[in-house]
Amino acid sequence: MNLVLLSLELSLLLLAVLSTRYWFRIFKAKSGTAVFPFHADRCPIEMSLPVILVLLWITLRMMTSLEKLWIQWQEITVLTKPVSLNDVMVSCLTSFSLGVILITSLVLSNSKFVHQSGFRLNEKMGQLRDGFVGFLLALIPVVILLFVTRGLRSEETLHPLFILLKAHPHFSTVIWIFISAVVVAPLIEELVYRVIFQSWLEEVLPPFAAIFISSLVFSLVHGFPDCIPLFPLAFILGTLFYYRRSYASVVFTHALFNGTNLAFALSDPQLPF
């Protein structure tokens, strides 16, 4: 067995054992506050330009995902253009531009938005600790569902970035996939789905419903079968953001998750590095 892959699997096992401590605390207390103390300082987000932009963005992503799912269920053969490195670069630039527009719009509409929505520069270590705990909590249910859904997976259902990595296993490919998956995706997706979408839902729905809906939408836009193991990750991200109101924490959890996936992809013995 590949030595790097074995090391990753052992590390994952040790982290899973560690995560049982936090799950035990949650089950014992029957509340997420056993792990994440409630942070009361929060910014209400009402229907506004940023919310409208996010809803449009999510709708477009959802339509694309459902169209792919429909094609899979109908077993229709469609020739799709493989993702290129240029596509990844354009996607990163587009997502980053969206993030700048959203944050600028929110700050102009509410000067306290940056602090109250979790863009806190203080409590750095505490926010990173919360993010690491969120990753640990997500680890066990995600791994279990990945195992359960292994029969639904094939080369055709691989994430486009991993298909690109297999087709062009170069250093430049790894760097751009890292930027896309571990940097840009956590920063923008947590801003869209947790900071804006979930915060807006919390204004019109009970907390559990807001977390559930935002998690379900986040999972579905990532396509089938990835949406199944992604749901517990999304729900824990939503719960973490609800209790701690820390953008840094959910970004760190998301980045750790994507970074772990990338590490396992890079450990493939068929790749020349």
Side-chain angles (χ1 to χ4, degrees), residues 22 32 35 94 96 99 111 182 186 228 230 232 234-236 238 244 257 267:
Y22 294 102
V35 175
T94 302
F96 184 78
S111 59
V182 185
I228 299 174
L230 279 180
F235 194 83
I236 288 168
R244 299 303 295 144
F257 178 80
S267 68

Side-chain angles (χ1 to χ4, degrees), residues 85 165 168-179 266 272-273:
L85 194 58
L165 180 62
H168 303 282
H170 309 303
F171 183 72
S172 59
T173 306
V174 175
I175 292 297
W176 275 105
I177 289 178
F178 178 87
I179 293 173
L266 293 174
F273 35 70

Side-chain angles (χ1 to χ4, degrees), residues 179-233:
I179 293 173
S180 175
V182 185
V183 180
V184 175
L187 286 171
I188 304 306
E189 290 185 351
E190 293 312 308
L191 174 63
V192 168
Y193 292 99
R194 249 62 65 179
V195 176
I196 298 179
F197 185 49
Q198 181 176 310
S199 295
W200 173 69
L201 287 174
E202 288 175 14
E203 295 300 307
V204 296
L205 295 171
F208 178 83
I211 295 170
F212 180 85
I213 292 174
S214 63
S215 303
L216 183 62
V217 170
F218 173 86
S219 304
L220 289 176
V221 299
H222 284 80
F224 182 83
D226 289 341
C227 60
I228 299 174
L230 279 180
F231 181 78
L233 170 68

Side-chain angles (χ1 to χ4, degrees), residues 29-187:
K30 298 180 181 179
S31 172
T33 54
V35 175
F36 304 121
F38 188 77
H39 194 283
D41 193 9
R42 51 194 61 215
C43 180
I45 296 183
E46 300 177 351
M47 180 60 73
S48 58
L49 177 61
V51 175
I52 293 173
L53 290 175
V54 162
L55 291 177
L56 288 173
W57 176 271
I58 291 174
T59 300
L60 290 174
R61 294 285 307 276
M62 183 70 78
M63 290 175 62
T64 302
S65 178
L66 292 177
E67 181 184 13
K68 291 180 180 178
L69 181 58
W70 174 256
I71 290 173
Q72 288 178 0
W73 279 354
Q74 296 297 311
E75 298 183 349
I76 300 173
T77 302
V78 178
L79 295 177
T80 57
K81 180 184 175 182
V83 173
S84 67
L85 194 58
N86 186 62
D87 293 330
V88 175
M89 296 166 65
V90 171
S91 176
C92 287
L93 180 60
T94 302
S95 298
F96 184 78
S97 300
L98 173 66
V100 171
I101 292 171
L102 291 174
I103 293 175
T104 302
S105 302
L106 288 165
V107 170
L108 290 176
S109 62
N110 185 345
S111 59
K112 296 181 179 180
F113 165 79
V114 172
H115 178 77
Q116 292 179 329
S117 290
F119 293 80
R120 298 191 298 273
L121 297 180
N122 59 342
E123 307 172 9
K124 297 183 185 68
M125 294 309 297
Q127 293 181 84
L128 292 179
R129 173 261 177 198
D130 290 337
F132 182 67
V133 172
F135 169 71
L136 289 178
L137 289 172
L139 192 60
I140 293 177
V142 168
V143 169
I144 291 174
L145 288 178
L146 279 172
F147 178 78
V148 170
T149 59
R150 69 191 187 282
L152 301 174
R153 301 180 182 279
S154 63
E155 289 292 326
E156 290 73 23
T157 62
L158 273 178
H159 192 284
L161 292 182
F162 293 155
I163 294 176
L164 174 63
L165 180 62
K166 285 180 173 291
H168 303 282
H170 309 303
F171 183 72
S172 59
T173 306
V174 175
I175 292 297
W176 275 105
I177 289 178
F178 178 87
I179 293 173
S180 175
V182 185
V183 180
V184 175
L187 286 171

